[in-house]
Amino acid sequence: MVERWIYKDVVPFAGMVAAECATVGSNTGFKAATAAGITYYVFTLYVAVVAAAALLPVALIFRRRSPSPKLPPHKISFFFKIVCLSALGLSCQLFGNKGLEYSSPNLSSAISNLIPAFTFVLAIFFRMEKVAFKKSSSIAKMVGSAVSISGALVVVLYKGPIVISNPYSEGPKDHTLGSSQSQPNWILGGLCFVFQYVCNSLWYILQTQIIKIYPDELSVLAVYYVIQALLTAPVCLLAETDINAWKLTTPLHFLLLLNSGLVGQCFVASIHTWGLGLKGPVYVSSFRPLSIAIAAAMGAILLGDDLHLGSIIGAIIISVGFYGILWGKAKEEELKELEHVGTLESSSKAPLLQCYKVEDA
């Protein structure tokens, strides 16, 4: 019982938190890569190639060692879904990287709070989630989502007094959204992030359906990244015609590309795909507001930023919202298990009742 609880609840929670940390780190790495001289299209294509080259041999090794499920009968339709998934992934990369080029990882984390709302609406539309206003589990999920988003907005919009000050900081710093709204491309960056996270929500929905049809996460991801790299190549090669731009001249370039390809893409996509098959798209997307708190914590610990009261209050609110979402999902799973047990018991009793009726006759 304890092992099952750890696998069903503790491990997915830890995996989602780790994935959000990797996402924030990858966004920061992109800004560092562009500052180091790598252009937008070069970074996008190289990261896709790194992800495909890393996952393909791993998937082939695991496929030889363990039996894989059979391909679905409608192979063309299944392959078309993976192509659509790759196109959505490419759209996420293009919109996301362009938004980061226009603005900053802070704005990306802020607008990522729209993902739970997008995914929840799409999951209801595709009948992957049921809303029952009379059930406490549905109410807890809806209220928890709203509370988490509110907490993330508090972190972004309310700075507050400094709680822990960096003794080596040079004067006051301003990392709020308002300080960056004067940049001419800030609105364009925000629009790019909105399109990115709409595609991201659709990616969650479609990936969940694919994993249900063919529950081999590694193979699906390997094919997904290979197709994404093939789709990315002509777009980026035609957009970036300068041959010198494709040359990686320093070890830092290789390090940043490997980090984004292996950690920001392979690791995050693997965790999300596994979580989608285990918990569903709403559970995975509900962790996106956590990126705000992670960004604030990483800034305070790694970058020496001042820790403000707004970050602490927002993190507490986000934690309360997460508890509501997780409680609602756990309650739903508990009810499903009780219904399943009840169905098994009724089916096991049915033959005995039939025997009694035959003997009485």
Side-chain angles (χ1 to χ4, degrees), residues 19-35 43 47 92-112 115 193 196-197 200 256 259-261 263-265 268 288 291-292 294-295 298 303:
E20 291 308 311
C21 292
T23 300
V24 174
S26 179
N27 289 342
T28 306
F30 172 79
K31 293 297 290 186
T34 54
F43 184 89
V47 166
C92 289
Q93 287 296 306
L94 292 175
F95 282 123
N97 289 343
K98 182 58 72 174
L100 288 169
E101 187 180 50
Y102 283 146
S103 54
S104 72
N106 287 336
L107 184 62
S108 175
S109 297
I111 299 182
S112 69
I115 288 184
F193 289 137
Q196 176 197 4
Y197 294 131
N200 206 165
L256 292 172
N259 173 69
S260 294
V263 180
Q265 291 296 311
V268 173
R288 294 314 297 262
S291 62
I292 294 278
I294 293 173
M298 289 179 66
L303 303 179

Side-chain angles (χ1 to χ4, degrees), residues 301-358:
I301 296 171
L302 300 178
L303 303 179
D305 292 338
D306 297 327
L307 183 60
H308 293 264
L309 180 63
S311 299
I312 297 176
I313 295 175
I316 294 173
I317 296 174
I318 290 172
S319 300
V320 174
F322 275 137
Y323 177 80
I325 296 171
L326 295 178
W327 184 88
K329 293 295 291 183
K331 194 70 174 178
E332 280 188 350
E333 292 178 1
E334 182 181 344
L335 292 174
K336 287 180 181 179
E337 289 181 359
L338 290 175
E339 291 176 358
H340 181 67
V341 171
T343 304
L344 291 177
E345 290 180 352
S346 61
S347 62
S348 62
K349 291 178 181 179
L352 294 175
L353 293 175
Q354 291 175 0
C355 291
Y356 286 131
K357 289 180 180 179
V358 172

Side-chain angles (χ1 to χ4, degrees), residues 40-350:
Y40 158 71
Y41 293 107
V42 171
F43 184 89
T44 302
L45 177 56
Y46 280 162
V47 166
V49 172
V50 168
L55 270 181
L56 187 59
V58 174
L60 291 175
I61 292 172
F62 275 91
R63 189 176 179 85
R64 290 178 180 178
R65 291 183 177 180
S66 59
S68 299
K70 294 182 179 179
L71 288 172
H74 304 288
K75 297 181 178 62
I76 297 177
S77 175
F78 176 72
F79 180 76
F80 178 73
K81 288 182 179 180
I82 298 182
V83 173
C84 292
L85 189 72
S86 301
L88 285 173
L90 173 59
S91 300
C92 289
Q93 287 296 306
L94 292 175
F95 282 123
N97 289 343
K98 182 58 72 174
L100 288 169
E101 187 180 50
Y102 283 146
S103 54
S104 72
N106 287 336
L107 184 62
S108 175
S109 297
I111 299 182
S112 69
N113 299 316
L114 297 173
I115 288 184
F118 289 153
T119 307
F120 192 68
V121 172
L122 289 171
I124 294 173
F125 179 78
F126 288 102
R127 297 181 180 179
M128 301 176 71
E129 286 284 333
K130 295 180 180 179
V131 177
F133 293 99
K134 295 183 179 180
K135 290 186 178 181
S136 59
S137 57
S138 294
I139 295 174
K141 286 194 299 181
M142 290 186 289
V143 173
S145 299
V147 171
S148 295
I149 294 173
S150 301
L153 292 176
V154 168
V155 177
V156 175
L157 300 177
Y158 174 65
K159 198 170 186 180
I162 297 175
V163 178
I164 301 176
S165 177
N166 174 23
Y168 302 102
S169 61
E170 299 177 357
K173 302 174 184 178
D174 189 5
H175 297 293
T176 57
L177 289 178
S179 63
S180 300
Q181 287 175 347
S182 59
Q183 297 180 10
N185 293 328
W186 195 258
I187 296 177
L188 289 176
L191 291 175
C192 286
F193 289 137
V194 170
F195 287 121
Q196 176 197 4
Y197 294 131
V198 170
C199 294
N200 206 165
S201 298
L202 289 170
W203 191 93
Y204 287 150
I205 298 295
L206 183 57
Q207 180 72 314
T208 303
Q209 295 177 348
I210 290 175
I211 293 301
K212 285 183 178 180
I213 298 173
Y214 187 72
D216 187 351
E217 292 86 352
L218 274 178
S219 298
V220 170
L221 281 177
V223 176
Y224 158 75
Y225 274 117
V226 169
I227 296 175
Q228 182 177 321
L230 294 175
L231 294 175
T232 306
V235 174
C236 294
L237 289 173
L238 290 174
E240 182 56 75
T241 57
D242 185 8
I243 298 177
N244 294 324
W246 295 94
K247 297 178 181 179
L248 303 178
T249 56
T250 65
L252 179 62
H253 291 173
F254 289 96
L255 182 62
L256 292 172
L257 289 171
L258 288 175
N259 173 69
S260 294
L262 299 178
V263 180
Q265 291 296 311
C266 293
F267 174 74
V268 173
S270 300
I271 293 295
H272 283 172
T273 301
W274 172 70
L276 290 170
L278 187 66
K279 290 287 190 177
V282 174
Y283 178 89
V284 174
S285 65
S286 66
F287 281 80
R288 294 314 297 262
L290 187 62
S291 62
I292 294 278
I294 293 173
M298 289 179 66
I301 296 171
L302 300 178
L303 303 179
D305 292 338
D306 297 327
L307 183 60
H308 293 264
L309 180 63
S311 299
I312 297 176
I313 295 175
I316 294 173
I317 296 174
I318 290 172
S319 300
V320 174
F322 275 137
Y323 177 80
I325 296 171
L326 295 178
W327 184 88
K329 293 295 291 183
K331 194 70 174 178
E332 280 188 350
E333 292 178 1
E334 182 181 344
L335 292 174
K336 287 180 181 179
E337 289 181 359
L338 290 175
E339 291 176 358
H340 181 67
V341 171
T343 304
L344 291 177
E345 290 180 352
S346 61
S347 62
S348 62
K349 291 178 181 179

